[in-house]
């Protein structure tokens, strides 16, 4: 996968995130069952799981890299490419869909000029759709990083995006 | 110990947190302190109270006054007016959507007084982060009784006699499953709690974990004793970070108290629990896929038998139950199987929690006795359909279930009756749709979900659902053909019979049930290229009514594709070919002259 190499690697071992990764890996050394938990932790550090991260994880847990890749691609929450500073998740669960989430999604696409799973040119926003986040009472719901916006009407989209 | 004149509950369930309840609570606490009320009035942060669309929600005891949509300013006003001077603030009360009457107290709200809360007994009542509050409500008493006075056989027998059935979807008798796992011979066994809650629109498991985590810990420990396991796992989906946090906190507290870990209550029984977080795969809710995922692998299901009770986690006998199933265990131990067996219907005992969402006045969580009718839940408990619209259908069982129509409003909601009505209980998600929902589009929506979530291991599910989706996609775009419905039926039958796991086997259900109940809508899409509900964009066209248009030209100005022509003061018209159906003109027209058909 060209382009998915972690850019920070060129700065060598100076990047403190690699040290963080080493700490995580040390805690789970040889524990193949912890693969998913380790990938979560690694993604928290880097924002995504690059090929190099996958290699290091494979080595530390003692599983083939093919299996790490298999797991990382099976679960939709793992991203293999870098994502924007703000991750927008539009819930397309049933409750949100029934209350007009598709229109909200279309409006965000229009405002940002990107399609689902794309990142804006300035690297600020990545647009994703999510499964039900369990806030169905507030449908339609979107998340931007840790913030949750409920009862989001199409005409409020602009206002919400402007906060970031 | 301090005695308080009044307790104020602030709901801190996930819905209310999203609505800003933490700021509301901060304002309330701050204002109380300013007024010098902080020694008389205790503010308590609870789990989900259930009225998610009314958040932030505050209940003032002892009166039980229920305030809704409370902003920070409102909270300060509550402190000054209600808590200090004893005056209820009418403006913040809840209004019954059917009678338009203001409701003065919690107990008078139909939403609450029609419920019977067993699984949700503590949710919205106690602070989930304080173990002492759980203990004060008989917490860990069931565990103490089990460990000190009962044998594993007696526990299994009690659960069996209660008639409790699995709340995760299949409705398998819980006691039977415990018995299988108890009798499986092995030096190592496991207890697993399924908190993957994949059905979109269902959030009861989330609310229980967030609002009453100790209830699950206690029940899993009882299960461990009953089946002979000393290690438990809770598999929680990653979309529920607050549940993970509260559960982790609760586990630490339980260990500190000696309710978990080595030699619990000084007996020779030891048990501990670990959390495993999922990573976004619906199929991991299926038990064999879930076990693979706990082992760190791709969450692909495998054929059963062998069932997990015989060969589960790492090949060892494993008991796997849903969160809500576990939430019923402690009351059954404390009050007895007979008590439990008196609630509900002949074959479906106890209560069921429904997550009611969609086009409904009171969205939220309700727990009612099994066998209550759909009409009672939708109209009596949840206040009916908003904006004066008509009830059209309710989907139960999520993407694996089916829909119930007006004709089925009086069916009893229990396992058998729902199946006989062509739907299923599922995990308890109940999505209400009003007259504006298109049943071709909804079928497409559910299939899109299952298609996307198909793990790809077996062909009928991977490819069959794709073919079905393509047909439905075409219909919504006005490209439906004669014979499409028959093709859907044919594919559905194959997929049902040959898929490896429940995901594929049940994927065609929503489509079949919607065709059955709303055949004429499908025919309208195929033959007349018309969407009667006005949802499918490609089948709509816009027109300007000559008798209403005043020739102001606003529509032409907002049109992004310059598809509207005309001269000021004359009737404008829309050129069909250029129109992209964005709806901008309809929204803009001050005279209601633009219509969509
Ligand atoms: C595709 C699929 C998804 C499922 N998702 C869930 C789920 O999210 N939560 C759950 O408790 N059970 C789910 N189940 C049911 C489980 O396989 C299993 O029956 C259940 O966890 C057993 O617990 P119970 O007997 O307490 O219901 C799912 C089943 C299938 C086939
Ligand atoms: S469907 Fe969107 S939060 Fe549940």
């Amino acid at each position: 996968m060209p382009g998915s190499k972690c850019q920070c690697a060129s700065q060598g071992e100076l990047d403190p995130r690699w040290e963080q990764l080493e700490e995580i890996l040390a805690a789970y050394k040889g524990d193949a069952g912890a693969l998913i938990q380790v990938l979560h932790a690694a993604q928290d550090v880097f924002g995504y799981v690059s090929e190099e991260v996958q290699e290091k994880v494979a080595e530390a847990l003692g599983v083939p890299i093919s299996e790490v890749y298999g797991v990382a691609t099976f679960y939709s929450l793992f991203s293999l490419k870098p994502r924007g500073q703000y991750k927008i998740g539009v819930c397309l669960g049933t409750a949100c869909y029934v209350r007009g989430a598709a229109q909200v999604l279309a409006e965000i696409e229009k405002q940002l000029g990107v399609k689902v799973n794309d990142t804006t040119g300035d690297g600020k926003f990545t647009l994703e759709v999510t499964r039900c986040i369990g806030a169905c009472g507030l449908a339609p719901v979107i998340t931007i990083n840790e913030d949750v916006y409920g009862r989001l009407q199409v005409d409020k989209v602009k206002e919400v995006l402007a906060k970031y | 110990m301090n005695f308080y004149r009044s307790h104020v509950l602030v709901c801190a369930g996930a819905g209310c947190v999203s609505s800003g309840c933490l700021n509301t609570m901060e304002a309330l606490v701050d204002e109380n302190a300013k007024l010098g009320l902080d020694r008389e009035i205790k503010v308590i942060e609870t789990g989900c109270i259930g009225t998610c669309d009314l958040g932030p929600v505050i209940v003032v005891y002892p009166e039980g006054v229920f305030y809704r949509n409370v902003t920070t300013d409102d909270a300060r006003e509550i402190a000054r007016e209600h808590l200090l001077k004893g005056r209820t603030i009418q403006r913040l009360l809840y209004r019954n959507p059917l009678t338009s009457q203001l409701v003065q107290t919690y107990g008078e709200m139909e939403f609450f007084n029609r419920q019977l809360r067993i699984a949700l007994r503590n949710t919205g009542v106690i602070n989930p982060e304080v173990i002492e509050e759980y203990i004060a409500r008989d917490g860990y008493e069931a565990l103490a009784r089990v460990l000190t006075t009962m044998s594993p056989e007696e526990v299994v027998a009690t659960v069996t006699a209660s008639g409790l059935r699995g709340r995760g979807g299949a409705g398998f008798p819980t006691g039977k499953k415990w018995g299988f796992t108890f009798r499986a011979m092995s030096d190592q066994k496991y207890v697993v709690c399924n908190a993957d809650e994949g059905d979109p629109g269902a959030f009861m498991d989330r609310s229980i974990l967030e609002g009453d985590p100790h209830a699950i810990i206690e029940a899993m420990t009882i299960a461990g004793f009953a089946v002979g396991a000393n290690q438990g796992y809770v598999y929680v989906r990653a979309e529920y970070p607050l549940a993970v946090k509260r559960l982790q906190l609760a586990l630490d507290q339980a260990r500190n108290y000696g309710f978990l870990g080595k030699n619990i209550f000084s007996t020779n029984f030891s048990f501990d629990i670990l959390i495993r977080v999922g990573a976004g795969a619906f199929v991991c809710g299926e038990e064999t896929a879930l076990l693979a995922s706990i082992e760190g692998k791709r969450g692909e299901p495998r054929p059963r038998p062998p069932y997990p009770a015989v060969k589960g986690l790492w090949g060892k006998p494993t008991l796997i139950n849903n969160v809500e199933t576990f939430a019923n265990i402690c009351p059954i131990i404390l009050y007895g199987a007979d008590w439990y067996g008196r609630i509900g219907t002949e074959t479906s005992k106890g209560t069921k929690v429904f997550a009611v969402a969609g086009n409904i006045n009171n969205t939220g969580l309700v727990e009612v006795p099994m066998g209550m009718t759909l009409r009672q839940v939708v109209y009596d408990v949840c206040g009916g359909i908003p904006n004066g619209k008509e009830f059209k259908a309710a989907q139960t069982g999520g993407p694996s279930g089916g829909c119930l129509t007006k004709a089925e409003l009086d069916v009893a909601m229990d396992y058998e009756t729902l199946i006989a009505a062509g739907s299923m209980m599922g995990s308890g998600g109940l999505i209400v749709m009003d007259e504006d929902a298109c049943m071709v589009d909804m079928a497409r929506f559910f299939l899109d979900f299952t298609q996307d979530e198909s793990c790809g291991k077996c062909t009928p599910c991977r490819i069959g659902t794709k073919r079905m989706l393509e047909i439905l996609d075409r219909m919504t775009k006005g490209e439906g053909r004669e014979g499409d419905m028959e093709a859907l039926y044919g594919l559905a039958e194959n997929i049902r019979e040959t898929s490896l796991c429940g995901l594929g086997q049940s994927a065609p259900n929503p489509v079949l049930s919607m065709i059955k109940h709303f055949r004429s809508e499908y025919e309208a899409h195929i033959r007349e290229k018309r969407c009667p509900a006005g949802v499918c964009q490609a089948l709509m066209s816009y027109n300007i009514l000559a008798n209403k248009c005043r020739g102001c030209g606003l529509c032409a100005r907002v049109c992004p594709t310059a598809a509207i022509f005309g001269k000021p003061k004359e009737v404008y018209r829309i050129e069909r070919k250029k129109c992209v159906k964005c709806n901008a003109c309809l929204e803009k027209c001050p005279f209601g002259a633009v219509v969509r058909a």
Side-chain angles (χ1 to χ4, degrees):
Chain A
M1 270 183 313
S4 76
K5 284 263 179 211
C6 182
Q7 309 299 325
C8 39
S10 55
Q11 288 156 24
E13 303 303 310
L14 290 178
D15 188 331
R17 293 182 300 181
W18 290 104
E19 248 170 63
Q20 269 172 278
L21 180 67
E22 291 304 333
E23 274 168 36
I24 295 165
L25 294 179
Y28 290 99
K29 200 146 194 72
D31 181 1
L35 178 53
I36 294 170
Q37 317 304 315
V38 170
L39 287 176
H40 269 304
Q43 178 155 298
D44 281 346
V45 173
F46 290 96
Y48 71 111
V49 281
S50 65
E51 231 177 280
E52 272 162 294
V53 169
Q54 291 175 47
E55 276 166 24
K56 287 218 189 291
V57 169
E59 199 180 312
L61 301 189
V63 291
I65 175 106
S66 59
E67 198 173 317
V68 176
Y69 180 74
V71 166
T73 49
F74 182 85
Y75 295 96
S76 65
L77 288 182
F78 296 127
S79 173
L80 300 194
K81 33 177 213 196
R83 295 187 291 172
Q85 183 186 0
Y86 298 106
K87 288 163 271 298
I88 305 178
V90 180
C91 174
L92 284 190
T94 320
C96 290
Y97 189 77
V98 170
R99 290 229 206 144
Q103 285 86 299
V104 172
L105 178 63
E107 179 66 19
I108 299 177
E109 286 182 337
K110 200 166 97 190
Q111 293 278 342
L112 297 180
V114 292
K115 292 276 173 212
V116 170
N117 287 334
D118 276 346
T119 302
T120 50
D122 57 4
K124 193 162 172 191
F125 293 107
T126 299
L127 179 59
E128 295 170 344
V129 300
T130 66
R131 294 292 179 222
C132 174
I133 60 161
C136 320
L138 306 175
V141 176
I142 72 163
T143 55
I144 301 184
N145 287 358
E146 264 78 65
D147 304 334
V148 181
Y149 296 91
R151 298 188 203 93
L152 190 70
Q153 299 305 312
V154 169
D155 53 6
K156 288 275 159 54
V157 166
K158 200 170 186 170
E159 200 180 303
V160 167
L161 292 178
K163 291 188 188 173
Y164 296 88
Chain B
M1 187 162 166
N2 230 336
F3 284 99
Y4 294 97
R5 147 169 91 79
S6 170
H7 288 81
V8 182
L9 305 190
V10 182
C11 175
C16 283
V17 170
S18 312
S19 299
C21 72
L22 297 180
N23 291 337
T24 299
M25 186 166 73
E26 206 180 291
L28 183 69
V29 170
D30 179 62
E31 194 71 19
N32 278 348
K34 274 192 202 152
L35 299 170
L37 295 174
D38 43 340
R39 293 167 145 263
E40 303 166 34
I41 288 169
K42 186 165 169 71
V43 178
I44 300 167
E45 189 181 333
T46 73
C48 178
I49 291 181
T51 51
C52 307
D53 60 338
L54 300 177
V57 170
I58 286 182
V59 188
V60 182
Y61 281 101
E63 308 92 301
V65 176
F66 178 90
Y67 290 122
R68 48 136 195 85
N69 303 117
V70 183
T71 64
T72 50
D73 288 344
D74 296 337
R76 291 183 190 277
E77 191 176 335
I78 290 174
R80 287 192 307 266
E81 289 296 309
H82 189 148
L83 302 178
L84 186 65
K85 299 178 193 156
R87 296 184 201 141
T88 305
I89 304 168
Q90 301 291 321
R91 177 172 61 80
L92 298 175
L93 293 176
Y94 169 76
R95 195 179 283 280
N96 182 323
L98 296 179
T99 63
S100 297
Q101 300 249 307
L102 284 179
V103 182
Q104 300 290 333
T105 66
Y106 181 87
E108 290 165 50
M109 279 174 77
E110 297 256 346
F111 183 79
F112 294 111
N113 64 23
R114 301 289 300 244
Q115 293 194 45
L116 174 63
R117 296 184 145 217
I118 297 174
L120 299 177
R121 61 194 176 280
N122 294 325
T123 307
V125 178
I126 62 168
N127 182 335
E129 301 192 356
V130 181
I131 187 172
E132 290 79 8
E133 293 201 13
Y134 178 71
I135 296 172
R137 291 179 55 93
D138 301 335
Y140 291 104
E141 196 175 318
L143 178 63
R145 196 178 296 177
V146 163
L147 291 189
T148 55
T149 69
M150 291 170 85
S151 67
E153 288 90 339
E154 282 169 332
V155 179
V156 173
T158 305
V159 175
T160 307
S162 73
L164 175 65
R165 293 169 65 175
R167 302 294 193 240
F172 190 82
T174 306
K176 227 179 183 174
K177 203 188 258 186
W178 287 32
F180 287 148
T181 322
F182 167 70
R183 286 191 295 275
M185 294 303 239
S186 176
D187 53 343
Q188 175 73 58
K189 299 182 191 176
Y190 297 101
V191 171
V192 171
C193 174
N194 186 343
D196 197 45
E197 196 160 51
D199 171 8
F203 49 100
M204 60 284 288
D205 295 349
R206 166 184 195 162
S207 291
I208 294 171
L209 279 181
E210 288 176 1
D212 196 14
H214 287 287
I216 302 305
I217 297 173
E218 183 177 2
M220 285 178 71
T221 312
I222 291 173
F225 174 76
V227 305
N230 59 22
Q231 180 65 52
Y233 286 92
V234 183
Y235 187 89
V236 194
R237 59 203 294 260
E239 287 86 343
Y240 291 175
L242 188 61
V244 173
K245 184 184 141 221
R246 293 208 177 132
L247 185 62
Q248 189 60 59
L249 190 72
L251 286 172
D252 295 342
Q253 292 168 345
R255 273 184 214 114
N256 276 341
Y257 263 86
F259 299 148
L260 206 57
K262 288 223 159 17
N263 303 107
I264 301 172
F265 287 116
S266 309
T267 63
N268 55 15
F269 175 65
S270 302
F271 189 79
D272 213 327
I273 297 174
L274 288 172
I275 300 176
R276 282 285 179 266
V277 180
F282 172 68
V283 74
C284 285
E286 197 279 336
E287 55 191 25
T288 60
L290 184 144
L291 297 176
S293 188
I294 292 183
E295 293 174 13
K297 304 197 188 108
R298 288 163 69 96
E300 288 175 358
R302 62 159 176 80
R304 298 172 309 179
Y307 286 90
V310 178
K311 223 172 163 185
L313 208 50
W314 291 293
K316 304 292 181 189
T318 302
L319 172 74
I320 172 162
N321 276 128
N322 164 265
V323 173
E324 190 187 332
T325 313
F326 277 124
N328 281 290
I329 296 296
C330 297
I332 290 175
I333 299 288
L334 287 178
Y335 311 122
D338 290 344
W339 162 79
Y340 196 79
R342 282 196 293 274
I343 306 162
T345 66
E346 191 53 39
T347 56
S348 307
K349 298 298 183 194
T351 55
K352 179 77 196 87
V353 183
F354 289 100
V356 191
N359 304 124
I360 182 93
N361 269 318
N362 299 334
T363 354
L365 280 189
V366 301
E367 181 173 357
V368 296
M370 290 270 189
M372 196 180 243
T373 66
L374 178 61
R375 185 188 303 279
Q376 287 170 323
V377 173
V378 170
Y379 287 95
D380 300 348
V381 183
C382 293
I385 319 294
N387 309 323
K389 297 247 163 101
E390 284 264 328
F391 171 88
K392 180 166 183 177
Q395 176 81 10
T396 63
S400 317
C403 67
L404 300 167
T405 65
K406 254 194 237 172
E408 281 99 21
L409 271 171
D410 291 307
V411 301
M413 308 247 272
D414 63 38
Y415 291 103
E416 275 71 27
T417 320
L418 280 176
I419 286 180
S423 183
M424 62 188 252
M425 176 78 77
S427 58
L430 189 89
I431 305 278
V432 181
M433 290 168 264
D434 67 15
E435 55 196 274
D436 293 340
C438 165
M439 301 318 267
V440 181
D441 183 59
M442 283 315 294
R444 191 200 57 77
F445 169 80
F446 283 118
L447 208 66
D448 187 43
F449 178 91
T450 33
Q451 208 287 310
D452 193 43
E453 292 293 352
S454 167
C455 77
K457 184 165 173 176
C458 74
T459 322
C461 175
R462 181 180 69 243
I463 299 179
T465 55
K466 184 130 199 141
R467 293 291 98 84
M468 287 183 79
L469 180 61
E470 283 163 1
I471 296 177
L472 288 164
D473 249 341
R474 272 202 283 107
M475 285 187 188
T476 58
K477 291 197 178 113
E479 295 158 14
R481 298 195 282 257
E482 286 300 329
D484 273 352
M485 277 192 279
E486 292 69 24
L488 285 175
Y489 273 118
L491 283 163
E493 198 170 319
N494 270 320
I495 297 171
R496 264 185 167 176
E497 280 173 14
T498 55
S499 290
L500 177 61
C501 85
L503 192 151
Q505 288 155 11
S506 62
N509 289 356
V511 182
L512 296 179
S513 130
M514 286 178 185
I515 296 185
K516 178 170 156 227
H517 290 299
F518 298 96
R519 196 172 188 96
S520 64
E521 263 184 59
Y522 283 77
E523 286 166 350
H525 279 76
I526 296 173
R527 296 191 187 140
E528 303 160 40
K529 314 291 176 218
R530 188 170 64 84
C531 173
V535 171
C536 300
Q537 285 241 339
L539 303 186
M540 282 189 286
S541 64
Y542 287 78
N543 263 316
I544 298 177
L545 297 175
N547 59 350
K548 286 200 174 163
C549 176
R550 307 257 189 100
C552 71
L554 274 177
C555 54
R557 250 175 281 151
V558 296
C559 179
T561 56
I564 306 184
F565 299 92
K567 293 202 190 87
K569 303 239 155 58
E570 284 176 22
V571 174
Y572 278 68
R573 65 187 175 76
I574 301 176
E575 194 179 315
R576 288 273 173 86
K577 270 197 209 132
K578 281 192 174 173
C579 173
V580 290
K581 301 164 186 175
C582 69
N583 213 39
C585 51
L586 190 147
E587 280 164 23
K588 197 78 190 178
C589 178
F591 313 112
V594 183
V595 289
R596 182 173 61 182

